Amino acid sequence: MMEQRYIINQHERLMDALIRINSLGLGPLVLFVVDEQDRMVGTLTDGDSRRALIAGASVSDTIDIVMHRDFKFMHVDDIENVREIRHQKKMQMKLVPVLDKENHIVEIIDLQRFKTRLPIDAVLMAGGKGERLRPLTEKTPKPLLKVGDKCIIDHNVDRLISYGVSHISVTVNYLKEQIEEHYHEPRNGVQVKTVREPKFLGTIGSVKFVENFFNDTVLVMNSDLFTNIDYEDFFLHFQQHEAEMSVAAVPYNVSIPYGILDLEGRNIKGLLEKPQYNHYANAGIYLIKRRALEEIPDGEFFNATDLVEKLIAEGKTVIRYPLNGTWIDIGNPQEYEKAKDLMRHL
Protein backbone atom coordinates (compact mmCIF):
# COMPACT_ATOMS: atom_id res chain seq x y z
CA MET A 1 0.00 0.00 0.00
CA MET A 2 1.06 3.59 -0.66
CA GLU A 3 1.70 5.57 2.53
CA GLN A 4 2.26 9.28 1.87
CA ARG A 5 3.62 9.87 5.37
CA TYR A 6 6.88 8.22 4.28
CA ILE A 7 7.34 10.48 1.23
CA ILE A 8 8.93 13.95 1.33
CA ASN A 9 10.22 16.42 -1.25
CA GLN A 10 13.96 16.95 -1.53
CA HIS A 11 13.64 20.73 -1.14
CA GLU A 12 12.00 20.63 2.26
CA ARG A 13 14.15 21.53 5.25
CA LEU A 14 15.94 19.03 7.47
CA MET A 15 13.82 20.36 10.36
CA ASP A 16 10.65 19.38 8.44
CA ALA A 17 12.09 15.93 7.89
CA LEU A 18 12.90 15.53 11.59
CA ILE A 19 9.35 16.51 12.51
CA ARG A 20 8.00 14.00 9.98
CA ILE A 21 10.31 11.22 11.23
CA ASN A 22 9.29 11.91 14.81
CA SER A 23 5.62 11.55 13.81
CA LEU A 24 6.17 8.05 12.43
CA GLY A 25 5.95 6.60 15.92
CA LEU A 26 6.78 2.89 16.13
CA GLY A 27 7.05 2.41 12.38
CA PRO A 28 10.34 2.32 10.43
CA LEU A 29 12.05 5.70 10.83
CA VAL A 30 12.80 6.38 7.17
CA LEU A 31 11.58 8.85 4.55
CA PHE A 32 11.63 8.37 0.80
CA VAL A 33 12.77 11.54 -0.92
CA VAL A 34 11.29 12.62 -4.26
CA ASP A 35 11.94 15.46 -6.70
CA GLU A 36 9.45 17.88 -8.31
CA GLN A 37 8.29 15.15 -10.73
CA ASP A 38 7.70 12.77 -7.79
CA ARG A 39 10.62 10.58 -8.83
CA MET A 40 12.47 8.90 -6.00
CA VAL A 41 15.95 10.33 -5.57
CA GLY A 42 17.03 9.23 -2.10
CA THR A 43 16.24 8.15 1.45
CA LEU A 44 16.63 9.82 4.81
CA THR A 45 16.62 8.00 8.15
CA ASP A 46 16.77 9.31 11.69
CA GLY A 47 20.40 8.11 11.77
CA ASP A 48 21.23 10.02 8.58
CA SER A 49 19.76 13.18 10.13
CA ARG A 50 21.73 12.86 13.37
CA ARG A 51 24.98 12.21 11.54
CA ALA A 52 24.40 15.22 9.28
CA LEU A 53 23.80 17.53 12.25
CA ILE A 54 26.89 16.24 14.05
CA ALA A 55 28.91 16.88 10.87
CA GLY A 56 27.78 20.51 10.87
CA ALA A 57 24.59 20.56 8.83
CA SER A 58 21.87 23.05 9.78
CA VAL A 59 18.20 22.25 10.39
CA SER A 60 17.53 24.88 7.73
CA ASP A 61 19.43 22.95 5.07
CA THR A 62 17.35 21.21 2.43
CA ILE A 63 17.06 17.44 2.48
CA ASP A 64 18.88 16.92 -0.84
CA ILE A 65 22.12 18.00 0.88
CA VAL A 66 22.04 15.21 3.48
CA MET A 67 19.92 12.44 1.96
CA HIS A 68 21.28 9.00 1.07
CA ARG A 69 21.37 8.67 -2.72
CA ASP A 70 22.36 5.01 -3.00
CA PHE A 71 19.12 3.32 -1.99
CA LYS A 72 17.51 -0.10 -2.38
CA PHE A 73 14.22 -0.61 -4.17
CA MET A 74 12.17 -3.03 -6.27
CA HIS A 75 10.95 -2.56 -9.84
CA VAL A 76 7.20 -2.70 -10.40
CA ASP A 77 7.79 -5.71 -12.69
CA ASP A 78 9.07 -7.63 -9.64
CA ILE A 79 6.11 -6.81 -7.44
CA GLU A 80 4.91 -10.43 -7.56
CA ASN A 81 8.40 -11.85 -7.20
CA VAL A 82 8.22 -13.38 -3.74
CA ARG A 83 11.86 -14.47 -3.88
CA GLU A 84 12.93 -10.86 -4.44
CA ILE A 85 10.81 -9.73 -1.49
CA ARG A 86 12.42 -12.47 0.62
CA HIS A 87 15.85 -11.17 -0.53
CA GLN A 88 14.93 -7.64 0.55
CA LYS A 89 13.96 -8.93 3.96
CA LYS A 90 17.26 -10.80 4.32
CA MET A 91 19.00 -7.46 3.69
CA GLN A 92 17.15 -6.12 6.78
CA MET A 93 14.88 -3.91 4.71
CA LYS A 94 11.78 -2.85 6.67
CA LEU A 95 10.14 -0.68 4.02
CA VAL A 96 10.68 -1.48 0.35
CA PRO A 97 9.76 1.18 -2.25
CA VAL A 98 8.42 -0.21 -5.52
CA LEU A 99 9.32 2.02 -8.50
CA ASP A 100 8.04 2.23 -12.06
CA LYS A 101 10.29 2.84 -15.07
CA GLU A 102 10.37 6.59 -14.34
CA ASN A 103 11.27 5.97 -10.67
CA HIS A 104 7.85 7.01 -9.36
CA ILE A 105 6.88 5.22 -6.14
CA VAL A 106 3.86 3.04 -6.91
CA GLU A 107 3.81 1.07 -3.66
CA ILE A 108 5.64 0.70 -0.36
CA ILE A 109 5.91 -2.84 1.01
CA ASP A 110 6.01 -2.88 4.81
CA LEU A 111 8.21 -5.85 5.82
CA GLN A 112 8.00 -4.89 9.47
CA ARG A 113 4.24 -5.37 9.54
CA PHE A 114 4.04 -8.17 6.93
CA LYS A 115 6.22 -11.24 6.40
CA THR A 116 5.93 -10.86 2.63
CA ARG A 117 3.34 -10.03 -0.02
CA LEU A 118 1.97 -13.18 -1.60
CA PRO A 119 0.23 -12.77 -4.98
CA ILE A 120 -2.62 -15.12 -4.10
CA ASP A 121 -6.31 -15.09 -3.25
CA ALA A 122 -7.53 -17.13 -0.28
CA VAL A 123 -10.81 -18.95 0.28
CA LEU A 124 -11.66 -20.38 3.70
CA MET A 125 -14.40 -23.00 3.94
CA ALA A 126 -16.65 -22.21 6.90
CA GLY A 127 -19.99 -23.79 6.02
CA GLY A 128 -19.85 -27.04 8.00
CA LYS A 129 -22.13 -27.92 10.91
CA GLY A 130 -19.38 -29.07 13.29
CA GLU A 131 -21.56 -31.94 14.48
CA ARG A 132 -18.75 -33.73 16.36
CA LEU A 133 -18.34 -30.65 18.57
CA ARG A 134 -21.95 -30.49 19.71
CA PRO A 135 -23.32 -29.05 21.95
CA LEU A 136 -20.73 -26.27 21.46
CA THR A 137 -21.82 -25.80 17.86
CA GLU A 138 -25.57 -25.90 18.36
CA LYS A 139 -25.80 -22.10 18.49
CA THR A 140 -22.29 -21.11 17.36
CA PRO A 141 -20.64 -22.10 14.06
CA LYS A 142 -17.42 -24.01 14.65
CA PRO A 143 -15.16 -21.36 13.02
CA LEU A 144 -16.28 -18.83 15.67
CA LEU A 145 -15.36 -21.01 18.66
CA LYS A 146 -12.51 -19.44 20.62
CA VAL A 147 -8.93 -20.68 20.79
CA GLY A 148 -7.19 -18.38 23.22
CA ASP A 149 -8.45 -14.83 22.83
CA LYS A 150 -9.86 -15.13 19.31
CA CYS A 151 -11.95 -17.34 17.06
CA ILE A 152 -10.52 -20.38 15.27
CA ILE A 153 -11.04 -18.80 11.85
CA ASP A 154 -9.43 -15.51 12.88
CA HIS A 155 -6.15 -17.27 13.64
CA ASN A 156 -6.12 -18.34 9.98
CA VAL A 157 -7.32 -15.02 8.56
CA ASP A 158 -4.79 -13.02 10.60
CA ARG A 159 -1.97 -15.33 9.54
CA LEU A 160 -2.89 -14.92 5.88
CA ILE A 161 -2.99 -11.14 6.30
CA SER A 162 0.47 -11.25 7.90
CA TYR A 163 1.72 -12.79 4.64
CA GLY A 164 0.33 -9.87 2.67
CA VAL A 165 -2.81 -11.62 1.41
CA SER A 166 -5.51 -8.97 0.93
CA HIS A 167 -8.17 -10.85 -1.08
CA ILE A 168 -9.80 -13.24 1.38
CA SER A 169 -13.22 -14.89 1.01
CA VAL A 170 -15.08 -17.10 3.48
CA THR A 171 -17.78 -19.46 2.23
CA VAL A 172 -20.63 -19.81 4.73
CA ASN A 173 -23.73 -21.96 5.20
CA TYR A 174 -24.57 -23.24 8.70
CA LEU A 175 -25.41 -20.29 11.02
CA LYS A 176 -24.06 -18.09 8.24
CA GLU A 177 -25.48 -14.85 9.63
CA GLN A 178 -23.09 -15.01 12.61
CA ILE A 179 -20.01 -15.28 10.41
CA GLU A 180 -21.32 -12.56 8.09
CA GLU A 181 -21.78 -10.25 11.06
CA HIS A 182 -18.34 -11.20 12.39
CA TYR A 183 -16.71 -9.94 9.17
CA HIS A 184 -18.98 -6.95 8.67
CA GLU A 185 -16.06 -4.64 9.47
CA PRO A 186 -12.52 -4.92 8.02
CA ARG A 187 -10.03 -6.99 9.96
CA ASN A 188 -6.50 -5.58 10.26
CA GLY A 189 -7.20 -3.38 7.26
CA VAL A 190 -8.59 -6.18 5.06
CA GLN A 191 -12.26 -6.57 4.20
CA VAL A 192 -12.98 -10.28 4.41
CA LYS A 193 -15.79 -11.20 2.01
CA THR A 194 -18.41 -13.78 2.96
CA VAL A 195 -19.90 -15.96 0.21
CA ARG A 196 -23.13 -17.89 0.78
CA GLU A 197 -23.19 -21.57 -0.14
CA PRO A 198 -26.78 -22.37 -1.24
CA LYS A 199 -26.48 -25.99 -0.11
CA PHE A 200 -23.73 -28.21 1.27
CA LEU A 201 -21.33 -28.70 -1.63
CA GLY A 202 -18.41 -30.59 -0.09
CA THR A 203 -14.96 -29.31 0.79
CA ILE A 204 -14.39 -27.24 -2.35
CA GLY A 205 -17.66 -26.99 -4.31
CA SER A 206 -18.57 -23.59 -2.85
CA VAL A 207 -15.44 -21.99 -4.35
CA LYS A 208 -17.43 -21.58 -7.57
CA PHE A 209 -19.58 -18.95 -5.81
CA VAL A 210 -16.63 -16.58 -5.27
CA GLU A 211 -17.35 -13.95 -7.92
CA ASN A 212 -13.87 -12.56 -8.57
CA PHE A 213 -10.30 -13.71 -8.18
CA PHE A 214 -7.51 -11.17 -8.48
CA ASN A 215 -4.51 -13.50 -8.78
CA ASP A 216 -3.56 -16.57 -10.80
CA THR A 217 -3.06 -18.69 -7.67
CA VAL A 218 -5.78 -19.45 -5.11
CA LEU A 219 -5.27 -20.88 -1.64
CA VAL A 220 -8.21 -22.96 -0.41
CA MET A 221 -8.31 -24.22 3.16
CA ASN A 222 -10.58 -25.46 5.88
CA SER A 223 -11.36 -22.65 8.30
CA ASP A 224 -11.22 -24.85 11.41
CA LEU A 225 -7.50 -25.65 11.30
CA PHE A 226 -4.96 -24.49 13.86
CA THR A 227 -1.61 -24.25 12.07
CA ASN A 228 1.56 -22.22 11.74
CA ILE A 229 2.23 -23.25 8.14
CA ASP A 230 4.74 -21.03 6.34
CA TYR A 231 2.61 -19.73 3.47
CA GLU A 232 5.60 -18.11 1.76
CA ASP A 233 7.52 -21.38 1.63
CA PHE A 234 4.35 -23.20 0.52
CA PHE A 235 3.91 -20.75 -2.37
CA LEU A 236 7.57 -20.83 -3.47
CA HIS A 237 7.52 -24.64 -3.43
CA PHE A 238 4.37 -24.53 -5.60
CA GLN A 239 6.03 -22.12 -8.06
CA GLN A 240 9.29 -24.07 -8.17
CA HIS A 241 7.57 -27.28 -9.27
CA GLU A 242 5.20 -25.53 -11.72
CA ALA A 243 2.28 -27.46 -10.29
CA GLU A 244 -1.40 -27.18 -11.08
CA MET A 245 -2.26 -27.98 -7.46
CA SER A 246 -0.31 -28.51 -4.25
CA VAL A 247 -1.65 -30.36 -1.21
CA ALA A 248 -0.20 -29.45 2.18
CA ALA A 249 0.44 -32.73 3.97
CA VAL A 250 1.37 -33.65 7.54
CA PRO A 251 3.58 -36.63 8.44
CA TYR A 252 1.54 -39.55 9.80
CA ASN A 253 3.49 -42.48 11.22
CA VAL A 254 2.00 -45.87 12.02
CA SER A 255 3.83 -48.26 14.33
CA ILE A 256 2.62 -51.85 14.66
CA PRO A 257 3.72 -53.40 17.97
CA TYR A 258 3.67 -56.97 16.63
CA GLY A 259 5.54 -59.15 14.21
CA ILE A 260 3.69 -58.96 10.87
CA LEU A 261 3.55 -62.01 8.64
CA ASP A 262 4.31 -61.70 4.96
CA LEU A 263 1.90 -64.24 3.50
CA GLU A 264 1.29 -65.88 0.18
CA GLY A 265 -1.95 -67.73 0.76
CA ARG A 266 -1.34 -69.77 3.91
CA ASN A 267 2.41 -69.90 3.40
CA ILE A 268 4.64 -67.54 5.38
CA LYS A 269 7.23 -65.89 3.14
CA GLY A 270 8.79 -63.75 5.82
CA LEU A 271 8.19 -61.76 8.99
CA LEU A 272 8.43 -58.03 9.70
CA GLU A 273 9.15 -57.39 13.37
CA LYS A 274 7.22 -54.36 14.71
CA PRO A 275 7.30 -52.44 11.42
CA GLN A 276 6.84 -48.69 11.08
CA TYR A 277 5.09 -47.08 8.15
CA ASN A 278 5.54 -43.42 7.27
CA HIS A 279 2.78 -41.63 5.37
CA TYR A 280 1.59 -38.11 4.60
CA ALA A 281 -1.98 -37.11 5.49
CA ASN A 282 -4.02 -34.44 3.72
CA ALA A 283 -3.89 -31.23 5.83
CA GLY A 284 -6.87 -29.54 4.14
CA ILE A 285 -4.78 -26.66 2.71
CA TYR A 286 -4.33 -26.32 -1.05
CA LEU A 287 -2.68 -24.02 -3.58
CA ILE A 288 -4.44 -24.19 -6.93
CA LYS A 289 -4.00 -22.49 -10.29
CA ARG A 290 -7.07 -20.37 -10.92
CA ARG A 291 -7.70 -22.10 -14.24
CA ALA A 292 -7.94 -25.47 -12.46
CA LEU A 293 -10.97 -24.24 -10.49
CA GLU A 294 -12.92 -24.48 -13.74
CA GLU A 295 -12.81 -28.26 -13.24
CA ILE A 296 -15.18 -27.91 -10.28
CA PRO A 297 -18.76 -28.61 -11.45
CA ASP A 298 -21.37 -25.91 -10.87
CA GLY A 299 -23.79 -26.54 -8.00
CA GLU A 300 -22.69 -30.12 -7.34
CA PHE A 301 -21.27 -31.76 -4.22
CA PHE A 302 -17.52 -31.83 -4.85
CA ASN A 303 -14.60 -32.41 -2.50
CA ALA A 304 -11.04 -31.16 -2.79
CA THR A 305 -9.95 -34.79 -3.10
CA ASP A 306 -12.22 -35.09 -6.15
CA LEU A 307 -10.34 -32.21 -7.74
CA VAL A 308 -7.00 -33.87 -6.93
CA GLU A 309 -8.10 -37.08 -8.63
CA LYS A 310 -9.57 -35.25 -11.62
CA LEU A 311 -6.40 -33.26 -12.26
CA ILE A 312 -4.23 -36.38 -11.90
CA ALA A 313 -6.46 -38.23 -14.39
CA GLU A 314 -5.93 -35.35 -16.84
CA GLY A 315 -2.16 -35.65 -16.49
CA LYS A 316 -1.76 -32.38 -14.57
CA THR A 317 1.01 -31.92 -12.00
CA VAL A 318 -0.31 -32.33 -8.44
CA ILE A 319 2.30 -32.25 -5.68
CA ARG A 320 2.47 -32.53 -1.92
CA TYR A 321 4.03 -29.91 0.34
CA PRO A 322 5.40 -31.31 3.62
CA LEU A 323 3.98 -29.34 6.54
CA ASN A 324 6.35 -29.88 9.44
CA GLY A 325 5.02 -27.31 11.91
CA THR A 326 1.91 -27.14 14.06
CA TRP A 327 -1.28 -28.57 12.58
CA ILE A 328 -4.46 -29.47 14.44
CA ASP A 329 -7.73 -30.32 12.74
CA ILE A 330 -10.31 -29.08 15.27
CA GLY A 331 -12.92 -31.71 14.46
CA ASN A 332 -13.71 -33.18 17.88
CA PRO A 333 -13.59 -32.12 21.55
CA GLN A 334 -10.18 -33.73 22.10
CA GLU A 335 -8.53 -31.81 19.26
CA TYR A 336 -10.28 -28.61 20.35
CA GLU A 337 -8.86 -28.96 23.86
CA LYS A 338 -5.46 -29.77 22.38
CA ALA A 339 -5.51 -26.51 20.39
CA LYS A 340 -6.60 -24.47 23.41
CA ASP A 341 -3.89 -26.06 25.56
CA LEU A 342 -1.26 -25.35 22.91
CA MET A 343 -2.36 -21.72 22.72
CA ARG A 344 -1.98 -21.36 26.50
CA HIS A 345 1.67 -22.37 26.19
CA LEU A 346 2.57 -20.25 23.17
Side-chain angles (χ1 to χ4, degrees), residues 98 131 252 334 336 343:
V98 180
E131 292 176 335
Y252 189 81
Q334 294 75 28
Y336 183 36
M343 177 54 65

Side-chain angles (χ1 to χ4, degrees), residues 111-325:
L111 292 178
Q112 180 166 284
R113 181 182 175 194
F114 301 105
K115 294 179 174 68
T116 184
R117 207 199 77 160
L118 295 181
I120 66 174
D121 288 61
V123 183
L124 286 77
M125 305 304 213
K129 294 182 178 180
E131 292 176 335
R132 289 179 294 165
L133 278 170
R134 290 183 180 272
L136 295 175
T137 54
E138 287 181 354
K139 296 182 178 180
T140 303
K142 181 168 63 170
L144 295 188
L145 295 177
K146 291 291 186 72
V147 174
D149 62 352
K150 59 185 175 184
C151 304
I152 295 170
I153 190 172
D154 285 341
H155 285 282
N156 293 311
V157 168
D158 290 351
R159 189 164 182 80
L160 286 167
I161 292 172
S162 76
Y163 280 83
V165 180
S166 57
H167 299 290
I168 302 175
S169 299
V170 176
T171 64
V172 297
N173 189 326
Y174 176 67
L175 299 176
K176 55 185 173 290
E177 293 82 5
Q178 293 187 38
I179 301 177
E180 289 171 342
E181 176 61 27
H182 184 73
Y183 288 120
H184 179 69
E185 298 293 334
R187 184 168 183 86
N188 295 328
V190 173
Q191 182 62 65
V192 177
K193 297 178 181 179
T194 54
V195 179
R196 290 195 174 191
E197 181 185 40
K199 60 181 179 179
F200 291 106
L201 294 172
T203 58
I204 204 170
S206 60
V207 167
K208 293 301 287 283
F209 291 91
V210 178
E211 292 185 356
N212 296 304
F213 290 111
F214 298 86
N215 295 282
D216 289 331
T217 303
V218 180
L219 182 139
V220 178
M221 68 179 293
N222 300 337
S223 65
D224 53 1
L225 302 175
F226 188 70
T227 178
N228 66 350
I229 183 173
D230 185 335
Y231 290 113
E232 181 185 62
D233 194 59
F234 188 21
F235 175 78
L236 290 174
H237 183 266
F238 179 70
Q239 271 196 329
Q240 176 188 351
H241 295 283
E242 300 180 343
E244 199 76 3
M245 181 174 183
S246 179
V247 181
V250 291
Y252 189 81
N253 303 317
V254 179
S255 299
I256 301 178
Y258 309 107
I260 300 300
L261 303 181
D262 179 13
L263 296 175
E264 186 177 292
R266 68 172 61 88
N267 297 327
I268 299 175
K269 295 298 183 180
L271 189 143
L272 296 173
E273 188 62 38
K274 300 179 180 179
Q276 292 187 347
Y277 299 96
N278 302 315
H279 304 278
Y280 277 95
N282 183 359
I285 310 172
Y286 314 94
L287 280 174
I288 310 167
K289 286 293 186 183
R290 182 172 60 178
R291 61 176 178 260
L293 298 177
E294 297 174 3
E295 302 287 345
I296 301 172
D298 292 329
E300 295 181 22
F301 189 94
F302 200 76
N303 285 323
T305 50
D306 297 324
L307 181 59
V308 169
E309 292 175 348
K310 191 172 183 180
L311 292 174
I312 291 172
E314 294 173 354
K316 303 294 176 57
T317 302
V318 179
I319 63 175
R320 72 97 175 92
Y321 170 78
L323 197 170
N324 294 314

